[in-house]
Amino acid sequence: MNSDGDLILSMRRARALFIAMVVGLALWLAFAHLVAPLVIESAYRGESIPILNNLIKGHANHSVEEYLSDWRQLAWKFTISYTAFGLLGLVVFMSTNSQTFFRRFVGEATPGTLGAMRALTCGILLLWTMLEDLPSIAWLPVEARHPLGVMQWLYALPLGLDRLVASEAWLRVFQLVTEVVLFLGMVGYRTRLVVPLGAFCFFLFGGILRDYSFNWHQGWVPLYLISILSFTPCGDGWSVDRLLKVIRGLPVPDPSRALPVYGWSRYTCWVAVAVTYWETGLCKLRFGGISWGNADGLRATFYEDTLLPREYDWSWSLYLVHAPDWPLVFMGVFVLFFECLWIMVLFSPTVRKIWPVLTAIFHAGVFILQKILFIDLILLQMVFYDFTGLRKSIGKRLESSYGRIQVLFDGHCPLCNRTVRALGLFDIFARLEFLDFRRLDLAEYNRRHGLALTIEDLDREMYVISRGQPYIGYYGYRVLALALPVFWLVSPLLYIPGVAWVGERVYGYIARNRLALLHCDTHCPVPSPGSGAGLALTQVNDLIQPLRYAWLISVFCVVMAVSFFYRLEFYPVLTSWHLYAALNYSGEVSYFKAVGHQASGEVIPVRVGDSVGALRWDGRDTPLLKKCFSDQLDEKGQKMVTDVEACRKFLLVSGSIYNKRSTSDRKITQLELQEWIWNFRTNPTDPEHGKVKSRVIVEIDPAQSVGRNTT
C-alpha cells in the first residue's frame, strides 16, 4: 500500500474510533445526568432494587442532596478521566496504526526472533519459579494473608483457593504444574495453549506469594510479556511445535524470511518493557523531582536495604558513610534521567543497543548496594537484541575453518526424510548439507571428493562426510552431535567405552528395518531435487497487521497511564511502578534484627525469613515484622492488636521451624525481634549502626515443632 492509501486507511480507523469514543461519552453523560439522579432519589426513598436500597439504608442522617452532590463529583471526575485517557489511547492508536510508523520504528522480524523471545521469557519465569518455595506458605498463619487485586476476587469465589494455600502438598503440586507448563512454553510445545496457561499459572503463583508479603515487582515485567505473547504466533520459531511439523513434512513459515507480524509482536513486547522503565523514572520525577538525587535520601535507601535482614550477608553500601556527597548526587541524577529516557528505546535503534546494557549494569549495581536481585530484568534485556547476525557469522567462520558436513541419505526412505528434516532444524550454524544419494551422480561425487562409495554402501548405512573423511552409521551421528549445539551436552556420552558397541547395533537394527518402521504418506513426502532437507514452507499472512497490535499497545499504555496518574495498585493489572519514588531525607533509618536465646543463656543471630522459604527473598518478611511494632490505632484509639498478633504468630512459626531444622546445640527457647534506629547523619561512624528502640519476644519450645506464643 502506498503512503497516501496508508494515510487514508489510518484516518478512517481513527475517525471510527473517535466517533465510538464520542458516542460512549454522550451515553455516559446522559446516564450520569438523567438516569443516575433518578435512581439515587428512588433508592433514598427505598423504592429501587434491594441492592441499591441497601447502599443508602442506615445513612438517613445524610440528605438526598448530599448523595446527589457526591454523585455529580464522581461523574465529573470520571468524565474528565474518560476524555483524557481516551484521547491518549486515540493518539497512541493513530500513531502506531500506520505503515509509516511500522517502517520507521517497528520493522520486520523472523519467526525465530519471536520464538527466541518466547523461550527467553518462559525460561526466566521458569527459573524464578524454581527458586521459590511456595509450599512453605502453608506454615504461615491466616492472619498474615492480605489478598491483593484480583486475588481478593479469587478467594471470594468458591474455588477452594483458601484450602490450596493451607495445604503444603497441594501447593507443591501447583508449583510443579507451573514449572511444567512454563517449561513447555520455553521449548514451545502446544504454544497456543501453554503460553496463556503459563501466564495464568504464574499470575496465580506470584499472587499467592504477594498475599503473604507485599506487592513487590520481581517477575511482573516477564508476566506482561508472556501475556502479550499469548496473542502472537510465538510458536512459529524455535519450538517443538515447529520441529514436529517439520518432521511430519507439514508446511512451516520460512525461518529466514522476516515478516511484519513477527515485527509487530516483538515491538509490542518492547513497549511493555520500555514503558515500565519510563514510568518508574516518571514516578521518581513526580514525587522527588530533581531533588531525588539528594545524597542523604540515597544513603538512607542504601543503608536501610543493607541493614534489613536479607538472604545476602554483605554490607558494602555501609562504606559510603566515608564517601563525599557528589558521587551519590551524580548517581541519583543519572538514574533519574536514565529511566526517564527509556522511552527512546522504542524510537531509536542506537538507544536500543545501549540502554539495555546500561540497564543490566544498573541492576547489578542495585544488587551490590541494596542486595536486591532483579535477575528477571537483567536477563530480559536480551529481548532487544537479535543474535541472527552473530549466529551466521559463527557459521561462516566454522565453514571456512572446517568446511560443510555432508549427509548422504536415502530419499526414498520416509524415516530418513524425517530424520534429515529434524537435523536441518537443529543446524543453527548451517554446518550441514543434505544429499539424496539416489539423485546424486555418484561417480562424479567420488571423483570430486576422492572417495569410493557405492550404491550398496549408501543403501545399507547413512554416510557423513566431514573434512573429506567418511563416517558410517552410528559414527556419523557422533560427528553430527558435535556439529549441532542442541546435542553438545550428550555428545561426550557417545564416546564412553561400550556405548559405541551398543550404538552400532541399535543403528544397524533401525537401518535394516527403516522401510518397515514408517510408511510414507502425506506427512512424509519425498523431497524434490535441490530441496536440501525437504523443508516444506508455508506462506504466512504477510500483510501488515497494525490493527491488532495498535489495540494492544494503546490499551497497555492507557492502563499504565491510569495506574501512574491515580497511583493504583491492583495485582496483576495495575501498578504505578513507584519504586523508591519517595526517598527518606530524615537522616534516620529503621531496621530489624532477630536473635535467638538458648537454654544456656547464649544469644545467637537468627534470620526469620530463612525459616519460611517463600519469604526469604528481598525482605518479603519485612511487612510482617513491622506489624510487631505497629502504631496503627483502631476505632477506639488503641493499638491494632490483630497486626501485632499476626507478627507474633509469624515469629512463633519461624522459631519452631528453625528449631526443627537445627541440631540440638543450636535450638532456641526464645525468639527476639528488635527494632533498631540509626541516625547516620549525626553518628555516621557508629559501629553498631544505631540502637534498639523496642523489642518483641516469643517463647519457643525446642522440643516441639509448634511453639507457644507469649506476651
Side-chain angles (χ1 to χ4, degrees):
M1 185 181 296
N2 57 37
S3 58
D4 292 337
D6 173 51
L7 179 61
I8 293 173
L9 180 59
S10 298
M11 292 301 295
R12 287 177 178 174
R13 289 173 175 172
R15 183 173 57 186
L17 186 60
F18 180 75
I19 292 173
M21 191 180 79
V22 171
V23 170
L25 180 61
L27 292 175
W28 161 252
L29 291 174
F31 171 80
H33 292 282
L34 300 177
V35 179
L38 297 177
V39 174
I40 292 173
E41 291 176 354
S42 175
Y44 188 81
R45 296 190 300 268
E47 298 173 357
S48 183
I49 59 177
I51 188 172
L52 294 178
N53 295 337
N54 290 333
L55 290 177
I56 297 180
K57 183 179 180 181
H59 296 78
N61 54 326
H62 297 282
S63 67
V64 68
E65 285 301 325
E66 293 180 81
Y67 286 104
L68 292 174
S69 176
D70 291 342
W71 168 254
R72 283 191 292 268
Q73 292 181 17
L74 179 63
W76 176 245
K77 291 180 180 178
F78 182 83
T79 302
I80 294 177
S81 298
Y82 176 89
T83 304
F85 293 115
L87 290 175
L88 172 64
L90 181 62
V91 170
V92 174
F93 182 84
M94 289 178 60
S95 301
T96 55
N97 184 26
S98 68
Q99 285 196 29
T100 302
F101 185 89
F102 173 80
R103 287 192 298 269
R104 293 189 61 184
F105 305 120
V106 180
E108 298 177 335
T110 62
T113 298
L114 187 60
M117 292 179 71
R118 183 212 68 247
L120 175 64
T121 302
C122 291
I124 291 172
L125 295 178
L126 174 61
L127 173 64
W128 193 91
T129 305
M130 294 175 65
L131 292 175
E132 295 293 339
D133 182 13
L134 187 67
S136 62
I137 285 290
W139 287 86
L140 296 174
V142 68
E143 293 88 348
R145 186 175 73 218
H146 296 281
L148 303 171
V150 177
M151 298 300 295
Q152 300 178 56
W153 303 346
L154 296 182
Y155 280 106
L157 294 174
L159 302 176
L161 186 57
D162 52 344
R163 295 193 296 273
L164 170 66
V165 299
S167 170
E168 211 175 341
W170 281 112
L171 286 173
R172 184 171 288 107
V173 170
F174 175 64
Q175 179 165 354
L176 179 61
V177 169
T178 303
E179 292 169 354
V180 170
V181 171
L182 291 173
F183 174 77
L184 294 177
M186 182 180 68
V187 300
Y189 180 71
R190 300 291 180 91
T191 51
R192 294 286 186 181
L193 173 64
V194 301
V195 172
L197 183 59
F200 174 78
C201 288
F202 188 79
F203 140 71
L204 186 57
F205 189 97
I208 293 174
L209 291 173
R210 287 172 173 84
D211 289 344
Y212 289 85
S213 51
F214 62 96
N215 201 16
W216 34 269
H217 289 85
Q218 284 96 331
W220 206 314
V221 179
L223 180 58
Y224 286 161
L225 263 61
I226 193 175
S227 301
I228 292 171
L229 290 169
S230 301
F231 298 94
T232 68
C234 60
D236 287 354
W238 296 109
S239 65
V240 174
D241 289 344
R242 181 182 178 91
L243 173 63
L244 294 176
K245 288 182 179 180
V246 168
I247 290 176
R248 296 167 184 166
L250 300 176
V252 294
D254 188 343
S256 61
R257 184 182 179 189
L259 293 174
V261 62
Y262 304 119
W264 275 113
S265 302
R266 176 185 62 182
Y267 192 80
T268 307
C269 292
W270 286 352
V271 168
V273 180
V275 171
T276 297
Y277 277 105
W278 185 44
E279 186 168 307
T280 303
L282 292 180
C283 281
K284 292 182 174 65
L285 193 60
R286 175 184 179 183
F287 299 109
I290 300 299
S291 64
W292 192 88
N294 179 280
D296 279 350
L298 291 179
R299 288 182 192 275
T301 298
F302 295 154
Y303 297 161
E304 186 169 345
D305 284 339
T306 297
L307 293 170
L308 280 171
R310 296 187 185 274
E311 63 275 18
Y312 309 106
D313 293 330
W314 64 76
S315 54
W316 295 328
S317 66
L318 296 180
Y319 291 105
L320 294 175
V321 297
H322 304 292
D325 287 347
W326 69 263
L328 292 167
V329 173
F330 173 79
M331 190 184 306
V333 173
F334 170 79
V335 169
L336 182 63
F337 284 96
F338 170 72
E339 291 182 341
C340 288
L341 289 175
W342 238 98
I343 196 67
M344 294 304 300
V345 167
L346 299 177
F347 308 108
S348 170
T350 302
V351 176
R352 194 177 304 144
K353 293 177 182 178
I354 299 173
W355 247 237
V357 174
L358 293 179
T359 303
I361 297 173
F362 163 70
H363 286 304
V366 170
F367 183 47
I368 293 172
L369 294 176
Q370 298 176 249
K371 301 194 297 187
I372 302 176
L373 179 59
F374 289 95
I375 184 64
D376 56 327
L377 296 180
I378 293 175
L379 296 176
L380 204 60
Q381 303 308 315
M382 288 192 289
V383 301
F384 292 96
Y385 299 99
D386 188 348
F387 297 97
T388 302
L390 177 62
R391 177 170 59 85
K392 290 182 178 180
S393 176
I394 294 175
K396 289 181 180 179
R397 178 161 297 189
L398 290 173
E399 182 178 354
S400 63
S401 300
Y402 304 104
R404 299 286 295 276
I405 298 175
Q406 296 179 327
V407 180
L408 278 65
F409 70 100
D410 183 359
H412 291 175
C413 165
L415 180 62
C416 302
N417 285 327
R418 289 194 175 188
T419 301
V420 298
R421 283 197 293 266
L423 292 174
L425 192 65
F426 295 135
D427 185 21
I428 65 174
F429 294 131
R431 299 287 316 281
L432 307 183
E433 180 182 1
F434 299 97
L435 301 174
D436 179 359
F437 75 83
R438 297 193 184 277
R439 303 178 186 274
L440 192 66
D441 185 342
L442 191 58
E444 174 62 20
Y445 183 85
N446 283 332
R447 184 190 64 78
R448 191 167 62 248
H449 293 84
L451 299 174
L453 304 178
T454 66
I455 291 293
E456 291 75 15
D457 293 335
L458 297 173
D459 192 41
R460 185 167 52 250
E461 293 181 290
M462 180 188 72
Y463 272 68
V464 175
I465 313 300
S466 176
R467 306 177 73 175
Q469 177 70 31
Y471 297 87
I472 306 172
Y474 168 80
Y475 298 97
Y477 275 103
R478 285 206 311 198
V479 173
L480 297 178
L482 292 174
L484 303 178
V486 70
F487 299 117
W488 283 352
L489 290 178
V490 300
S491 59
L493 303 178
L494 303 180
Y495 291 85
I496 295 177
V499 173
W501 183 86
V502 176
E504 287 178 357
R505 279 146 186 80
V506 171
Y507 174 82
Y509 172 81
I510 295 175
R512 290 191 301 271
N513 298 277
R514 65 184 187 276
L515 297 178
L517 292 175
L518 181 66
H519 297 285
C520 194
D521 52 26
T522 57
H523 296 294
C524 51
V526 177
S528 58
S531 63
L535 182 65
L537 303 178
T538 184
Q539 294 294 326
V540 177
N541 182 8
D542 59 355
L543 297 175
I544 293 183
Q545 303 180 30
L547 191 59
R548 178 202 300 181
Y549 295 98
W551 272 111
L552 280 174
I553 293 172
S554 302
V555 170
F556 181 83
C557 291
V558 168
V559 169
M560 295 291 281
V562 171
S563 303
F564 171 76
F565 187 80
Y566 291 108
R567 298 186 65 182
L568 299 178
E569 296 294 328
F570 191 84
Y571 178 81
V573 183
L574 304 173
T575 178
S576 60
W577 287 93
H578 54 277
L579 281 77
Y580 298 98
L583 299 183
N584 173 15
Y585 302 109
S586 67
E588 187 175 84
V589 296
S590 63
Y591 59 99
F592 307 106
K593 288 184 181 180
V595 295
H597 297 265
Q598 296 184 309
S600 62
E602 184 180 355
V603 179
I604 60 174
V606 175
R607 180 163 136 49
V608 293
D610 287 339
S611 301
V612 182
L615 303 181
R616 74 180 184 270
W617 302 111
D618 299 326
R620 294 179 192 169
D621 56 345
T622 302
L624 278 171
L625 300 182
K626 285 183 177 179
K627 290 182 178 182
C628 275
F629 311 99
S630 174
D631 293 327
Q632 299 184 41
L633 304 180
D634 58 19
E635 296 178 354
K636 298 180 180 180
Q638 297 178 346
K639 204 170 184 179
M640 291 284 287
V641 178
T642 54
D643 279 353
V644 177
E645 194 61 26
C647 175
R648 296 176 70 89
K649 286 185 177 181
F650 170 61
L651 294 178
L652 181 64
V653 169
S654 298
S656 300
I657 298 175
Y658 174 85
N659 277 342
K660 184 178 180 180
R661 296 174 178 174
S662 301
T663 57
S664 57
D665 62 323
R666 297 289 296 176
K667 294 185 183 297
I668 60 177
T669 58
Q670 291 181 328
L671 180 60
E672 176 183 345
L673 181 65
Q674 303 170 347
E675 182 184 22
W676 283 64
I677 301 294
W678 177 34
N679 192 315
F680 60 85
R681 185 180 294 164
T682 60
N683 196 5
T685 58
D686 182 0
E688 299 295 326
H689 301 111
K691 58 183 179 180
V692 179
K693 177 184 177 183
S694 53
R695 64 187 77 211
V696 172
I697 301 176
V698 293
E699 299 289 339
I700 308 294
D701 187 346
Q704 301 293 329
S705 60
V706 178
R708 177 171 54 85
N709 220 357
T710 63
T711 58

